[in-house]
């Protein structure tokens, strides 16, 4: 059924008290089950699993994938199947909504683990102990939740801002539980089948799984004589290079530089196909363009000029030119310039994000508005008034104690963090876009201007900005579908805290298994953080800004500085073109910059995934037809299946390799 909502005139003219009364009388479902033991447990388990897949994909792409609709579909399918089997009652719509709040919170809290924290470790060479990572992430995440509580009544109750991502989740929930649920079960089957196919392929290319199955379980080494487990080569071009060496075939080169040196490889990665499906054709095309521009055109040119060359490491070893060296010595700088300039222009082009923040501030409440009809179901504001100062001090203390940030800088950054968090939340409310990257860079450059000697001084305050703003924004986006469906916000807030714990417990041990595995002597090193499998693009961006602050532009080759200026100019042009064309301009400056940091094979697969769904949408444009229902309505379910199946088997492979 259609969800009830206020008209534009009512939103403009009614007081908040009138809006609260309307919501309480028409929308609120006070007696319906919401935060039950089973919804909390389901959200906790789904949140841990989905956060693990988000961490895996984040390490590969630098993109934090949303898991709200995935968790909605999975929870719906699980309890609808249990209900049909007579094992359990079906989920209520509010139980499902609470489950997605927990799962989404778990998925979002991995952001510093793929961005600021590995950047700190790369810059300093110091591995953050797991317990410090746990404490710091939980404290900053909770601070974000506490900051969000007072903003909920303003942004959601009073201004009725759309929060498009959360609003879409509310519409999907309403559609699932207002109909016979056939579409929901159909999408769940799409997710399951695609996930199984993706998992089967990932199994065949995983050395750990194949070793476990062929050597440990089937003992094939004893009765066939094989020395190593057989696997399919994930990099399909390996077969060509093997034949090239054997039959003296053509060696692919650009300006005399081998494709392999440039990182121009072809890997069939099912998860990247799914990520591309969620990205869309505009973003995926921009990512591929940025990558090919850097590695197929600019890098060979710079190698020929000598601006990118072999170097001698601190240990006295010769480091040959490779994709990572191309990135660190030259490509990263223009990519960072393009991403930062594009993000800031995009942010400044939306003045309502800033003006709405201060709208109605200082306005006196009427006697009617002072009567709080929702006092018993909203989160009491005193929790924020007490909790924000306490957790701010805890955040500053842990940042000082764990990372060496001076007390003064830690406290100076706090007011800036709160202002930028309000701006970020307002951006999320209007556009579903969280400009955490651009806002955190403001903090990073500001603190860096005060202290250039210690990279942690600008990295960690900026990391708090990103984590606090992300959690505040995601909490309000989670509460939006609950508001649309009549849920108790207090219970959703509790669910968000449960999700933070779920994500931290699932992902921090996994972080060390995936990105910081011990060597044969049991020693962990930051040198494994960035690898061919996990390129850590978000961390490389943060590290690039920290290095730029520490060493200045004078330390870079002249060609790199020129490229930064040109990239920033083009970023401004592209963003203005996007604004003038109302989003129809085909390129995204931020995505072009991201493509430079990503491996070429990942960019190709993401583009193929996006192109496939775009093509099927063009072929099946009519809603309600079977093709449109399968490819367009099912895009997110299919993409989620590709990601989940591949990521879970990939995570299992990493664990097996550590154990055996």
């Amino acid at each position: 059924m259609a969800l009830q909502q206020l008209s534009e005139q009512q939103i403009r003219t009614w007081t908040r008290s009138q809006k609260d009364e309307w919501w309480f009388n028409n929308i609120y479902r006070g007696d319906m089950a919401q935060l039950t033991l089973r919804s909390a447990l389901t959200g906790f388990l789904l949140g841990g699993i989905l956060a693990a897949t988000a961490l895996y994909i984040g390490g590969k792409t630098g993109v934090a994938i949303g898991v709200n609709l995935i968790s909605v579909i999975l929870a719906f399918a699980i309890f609808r199947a249990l209900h049909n089997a007579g094992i359990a009652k079906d989920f209520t719509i509010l139980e499902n909504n609470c489950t997605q709040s927990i799962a989404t919170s778990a998925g979002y809290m991995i952001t510093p683990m793929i961005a600021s924290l590995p950047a700190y470790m790369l810059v300093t060479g110091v591995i953050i102990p797991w317990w410090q990572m746990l404490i710091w992430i939980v404290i900053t995440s909770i601070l974000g939740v506490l900051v969000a509580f007072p903003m909920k009544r303003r942004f959601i109750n009073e201004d009725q801002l759309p929060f498009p991502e959360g609003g879409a989740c509310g519409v999907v929930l309403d559609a699932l539980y207002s109909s016979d649920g056939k579409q929901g079960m159909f999408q769940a089957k799409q997710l399951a089948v695609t996930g199984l196919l993706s998992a089967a392929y990932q199994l065949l290319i995983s050395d750990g799984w194949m070793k476990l199955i062929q050597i440990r379980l089937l003992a094939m080494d004893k009765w066939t004589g094989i020395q190593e487990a057989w696997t399919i080569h994930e990099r399909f071009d390996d077969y060509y290079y093997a034949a090239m060496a054997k039959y003296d075939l053509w060696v692919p080169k650009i300006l005399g530089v081998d494709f392999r040196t440039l990182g121009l490889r072809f890997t069939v990665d099912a998860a990247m196909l799914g990520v591309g499906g969620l990205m869309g054709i505009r973003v995926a095309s921009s990512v591929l363009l940025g990558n090919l521009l850097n590695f197929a055109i600019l890098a060979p040119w710079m190698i020929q000029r000598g601006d990118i060359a072999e170097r001698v490491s601190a240990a006295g070893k010769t480091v040959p030119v490779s994709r990572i060296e191309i990135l660190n010595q030259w490509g990263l700088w223009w990519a960072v310039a393009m991403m930062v300039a594009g993000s800031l222009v995009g942010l400044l082009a939306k003045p309502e994000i800033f003006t709405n923040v201060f709208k109605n501030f200082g306005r006196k409440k009427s006697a009617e508005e002072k009567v709080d009809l929702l006092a018993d179901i909203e989160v009491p504001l005193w929790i924020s008034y007490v909790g924000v100062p306490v957790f701010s001090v805890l955040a500053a203390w842990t940042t000082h104690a764990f990372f060496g940030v001076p007390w003064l800088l830690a406290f100076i950054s706090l007011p800036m963090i709160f202002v930028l968090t309000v701006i970020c939340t307002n951006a999320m409310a209007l556009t579903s876009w969280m400009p955490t990257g651009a806002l955190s860079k403001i903090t990073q450059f500001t603190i860096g201007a005060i202290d250039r000697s210690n990279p942690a001084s600008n990295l960690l305050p900026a990391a708090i900005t990103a984590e606090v703003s992300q959690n505040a924004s995601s909490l309000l986006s989670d509460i939006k579908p609950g508001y649309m469906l009549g849920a108790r916000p207090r219970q959703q807030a509790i669910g968000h805290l449960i999700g933070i714990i779920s994500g931290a417990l699932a992902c921090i041990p996994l972080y060390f298994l995936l990105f910081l595995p011990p060597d044969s002597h049991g020693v962990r090193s930051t040198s494994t953080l960035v690898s061919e499998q996990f390129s850590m693009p978000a961390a490389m961006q943060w590290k690039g800004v920290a290095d730029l602050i520490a060493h200045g532009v004078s330390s870079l080759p002249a060609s790199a500085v020129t490229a930064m200026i040109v990239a920033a100019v083009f970023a401004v042009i592209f963003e203005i073109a996007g604004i003038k064309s109302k989003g129809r301009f085909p390129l995204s400056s931020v995505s072009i910059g991201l493509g430079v940091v990503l491996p070429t094979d990942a960019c190709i697969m993401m583009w193929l995934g996006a192109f496939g769904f775009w093509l099927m949408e063009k072929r099946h444009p009519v809603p309600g037809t079977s093709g449109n229902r399968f490819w367009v309505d099912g895009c997110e379910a299919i993409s989620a299946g590709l990601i989940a199946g591949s990521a879970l088997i990939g995570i299992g492979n990493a664990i097996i390799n550590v154990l055996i």
Side-chain angles (χ1 to χ4, degrees), residues 469-596:
S469 60
Q470 180 122 324
N471 271 279
S473 303
S474 65
L475 172 63
L476 294 182
S477 186
D478 286 347
I479 286 179
K480 178 65 178 183
Y483 183 84
M484 295 164 65
L485 299 169
R488 289 184 287 279
R490 189 177 299 184
Q491 293 194 6
Q492 278 192 272
I494 295 170
H496 204 84
L497 295 175
I498 294 172
I500 291 170
I501 303 300
S502 169
L505 293 179
C507 290
I508 289 177
L510 182 62
Y511 189 89
F512 284 83
L513 281 171
L514 289 178
F515 312 129
L516 294 167
D519 61 17
S520 57
H521 302 290
V523 178
R524 300 181 192 272
S525 167
T526 57
S527 63
T528 62
L529 272 170
V530 178
S531 64
E532 287 300 320
Q533 185 180 12
F534 299 108
S535 57
M536 285 286 179
M540 294 300 292
Q541 181 190 353
W542 281 69
K543 175 182 178 293
V545 173
D547 287 342
L548 195 63
I549 290 169
H551 305 299
V553 256
S554 59
S555 63
L556 302 177
S559 59
V561 177
T562 302
M564 290 175 67
I565 296 170
V566 172
V569 170
F570 271 97
V572 173
I573 293 171
F574 289 167
E575 289 304 313
I576 292 174
I579 295 163
K580 294 294 185 182
S581 65
K582 298 182 178 179
R584 290 191 296 272
F585 187 70
L587 297 176
S588 160
S589 59
V590 176
S591 302
I592 290 172
L594 176 62
V596 177

Side-chain angles (χ1 to χ4, degrees), residues 71 155 216 252 259 269 385 457 547 596:
S71 62
F155 287 150
R216 294 298 180 91
F259 270 30
D269 189 331
Y385 298 150
S457 295
D547 287 342
V596 177

Side-chain angles (χ1 to χ4, degrees), residues 27 38 50 186 208 415-416 422 436 491 510 532 539 573 576 626 641:
I27 310 297
R38 65 179 188 165
L50 295 175
F186 178 72
M416 184 185 303
V422 173
T436 50
Q491 293 194 6
L510 182 62
E532 287 300 320
I573 293 171
I576 292 174
S626 58

Side-chain angles (χ1 to χ4, degrees), residues 290-549:
N291 185 275
L292 295 180
L293 176 61
N294 187 72
F295 290 100
I297 298 175
L298 297 176
W301 182 20
M302 293 304 116
I303 291 172
Q304 195 176 62
R305 283 171 50 97
D307 288 351
I308 302 172
E310 289 184 348
R311 63 180 180 87
V312 178
S313 69
K317 294 181 179 180
T318 300
V319 181
V321 174
S322 64
R323 189 190 73 84
I324 297 297
E325 285 299 307
I326 291 169
L327 189 63
N328 288 335
Q329 291 186 34
W330 202 87
L332 179 65
W333 308 110
W334 77 264
V336 168
M338 181 160 263
M339 285 189 278
V340 172
S343 296
L344 292 176
V345 172
L347 181 65
L348 295 173
K350 299 180 176 70
E352 68 275 11
I353 289 174
F354 300 93
T355 56
N356 282 4
V357 169
F358 304 103
K359 188 180 69 175
N360 296 330
F361 274 16
R363 182 177 63 86
K364 292 184 178 180
K365 293 183 179 179
S366 65
E368 180 188 17
E369 289 180 286
K370 291 179 181 179
V371 178
D372 193 353
L373 181 65
L374 309 182
D376 293 333
I377 58 175
E378 293 277 14
V379 177
L381 292 181
W382 68 263
I383 292 179
S384 286
Y385 298 150
V386 173
V388 166
V390 170
F391 276 84
S392 296
V393 172
L394 287 174
W397 174 76
T398 53
T399 302
H400 168 73
F402 296 166
F403 309 111
V405 176
W407 273 105
L408 180 62
L409 293 181
F411 278 113
I412 286 175
S413 67
L414 289 175
M416 184 185 303
I417 287 167
F418 296 135
V419 172
L420 297 179
T421 297
V422 173
I423 295 171
C424 182
T425 304
N426 200 48
M428 179 70 164
L430 295 171
T431 66
S432 269
W433 169 55
M434 286 188 287
T436 50
L439 295 176
S440 60
K441 296 303 173 287
I442 293 173
T443 307
Q444 200 171 353
F445 279 116
T446 303
I447 301 299
I450 301 172
D451 180 10
R452 293 177 56 180
S453 61
N454 180 12
S457 295
N458 67 74
L459 274 170
L460 271 300
I464 298 176
T465 301
E467 184 67 350
V468 170
S469 60
Q470 180 122 324
N471 271 279
S473 303
S474 65
L475 172 63
L476 294 182
S477 186
D478 286 347
I479 286 179
K480 178 65 178 183
Y483 183 84
M484 295 164 65
L485 299 169
R488 289 184 287 279
R490 189 177 299 184
Q491 293 194 6
Q492 278 192 272
I494 295 170
H496 204 84
L497 295 175
I498 294 172
I500 291 170
I501 303 300
S502 169
L505 293 179
C507 290
I508 289 177
L510 182 62
Y511 189 89
F512 284 83
L513 281 171
L514 289 178
F515 312 129
L516 294 167
D519 61 17
S520 57
H521 302 290
V523 178
R524 300 181 192 272
S525 167
T526 57
S527 63
T528 62
L529 272 170
V530 178
S531 64
E532 287 300 320
Q533 185 180 12
F534 299 108
S535 57
M536 285 286 179
M540 294 300 292
Q541 181 190 353
W542 281 69
K543 175 182 178 293
V545 173
D547 287 342
L548 195 63
I549 290 169

